[in-house]
Amino acid sequence: MVTMLEVINRIPTVCTDILNHREATFAALVDTVKAHPEINQILLIGSGTSNTSAVTARRFIEKTSGLQTICVLPNELLHNCFAYNPQALYVFTSHSGTSTLTCEAAEKITQLGFLTAAVTDGADSPIAKMVDVFINQRNGVEEYLMRTIGYCSSVLTQMLMGLAIGKARGVISADQETAYLEQAQAGIAHHPAIVDEAMTWFDRNKEKLMAAETYTIYGLDSLWGVALEGALKILEISKRRIGVGYEFDDGMHGPTMGYTSSNCVIVLHDGGREDLRAHQLVRFAKNELGYGYLIGENPVDENDLAIHLTGGEFIFLELSPVVQVLAYRLAIDYGIDLTDMSYHSETKYFNTHNEA
């Protein structure tokens, strides 16, 4: 069986395929958007990795589509939203197309007569048949339930969806589209080198990374979504560690007072407006806890992972492989056999997907 590292290394191929087929992927959506000029909002609905992908893509979708874009969990949409927007586009993401509450929400909103779309892997998936517009994320077979390709394919598809909507609405010019696509290509091209660099970084800091019991990951803007996904991957892949993801500023209000020497703080950093506080937070973790790392631009010291980011709006492609490799190495260096699926005992008690 292929290793999870080999799966992570397939991400650039899948993402290139998504880019190459984007016109066909979004043809129906573009026609629908042009036929519905009243659309004034986009809602992104999904659970787990589908939700973290939406958090990652949300800002870019809003920026390029020109429409307010918000993320909503299926449970919230089903039971705690009482004023649905009839002029919104509701986009449901489910890799398998079988996520129980996401499907329930998609079916409900479609029956209400509101415009719906599904980002999923295959026109035959259950959720694709419940909505008005099918959007193929072109993920393909992924050997592990802990989605790594699926996260990246979902984010990229959602971001390209925003670009397609913006172009259809006349918000984005052809030149702007070209510039964004070049950024995506640069992010994809950088991915293989970063996987190698992340492996080397783990080896360099292995003793401390393996000793940490909990991991707190910080990210700003789209990197908040990467932080959430990284924390999820640490928990579900390593199985011996707890990961928590925070929006950068939110995570500096309270959580830092509870950290101990068993906690590792990781800041995903683009070198932008929070450069000073990013350095302050990492220095606090290094000096007071013993575990602190900056991943990205402007490292604090030689123990950080310096990355000159080239992907522009698509830097998730450059920083997500670091947290994926971290989760992978925490597992295999501890001796966990990731090919053994027998540990999924929770399926004897509850189900989150309506598998056929």
Side-chain angles (χ1 to χ4, degrees), residues 208-320:
K208 284 192 171 183
L209 289 171
M210 291 295 293
E213 296 177 4
T214 59
Y215 292 79
T216 310
I217 307 178
Y218 287 77
L220 184 69
D221 299 332
S222 67
L223 297 182
W224 177 25
V226 180
L228 291 171
E229 177 64 13
L232 174 60
K233 285 296 168 280
I234 286 173
L235 177 59
E236 66 180 358
I237 294 175
S238 78
K239 310 188 190 310
R240 297 295 188 276
R241 275 89 172 177
I242 298 295
V244 181
Y246 280 112
E247 190 278 332
F248 181 81
D249 181 69
D250 182 48
M252 297 180 76
H253 287 77
T256 53
M257 292 187 287
Y259 295 155
T260 69
S261 59
S262 66
N263 181 259
C264 175
V265 173
I266 295 176
V267 177
L268 306 176
H269 186 44
D270 63 1
R273 67 180 186 272
E274 286 287 8
D275 192 59
L276 175 61
R277 286 207 298 168
H279 281 210
Q280 291 172 337
L281 178 58
V282 171
R283 286 196 179 97
F284 156 74
K286 289 177 183 290
N287 296 336
E288 302 298 328
L289 309 179
Y291 303 88
Y293 302 95
L294 186 147
I295 310 296
E297 297 280 4
N298 302 336
V300 173
D301 62 29
E302 68 281 358
N303 295 316
D304 297 333
L305 177 51
I307 302 174
H308 176 55
L309 301 169
T310 60
E313 294 284 353
F314 296 82
I315 56 174
F316 83 92
L317 288 164
E318 299 171 277
L319 290 174
S320 61

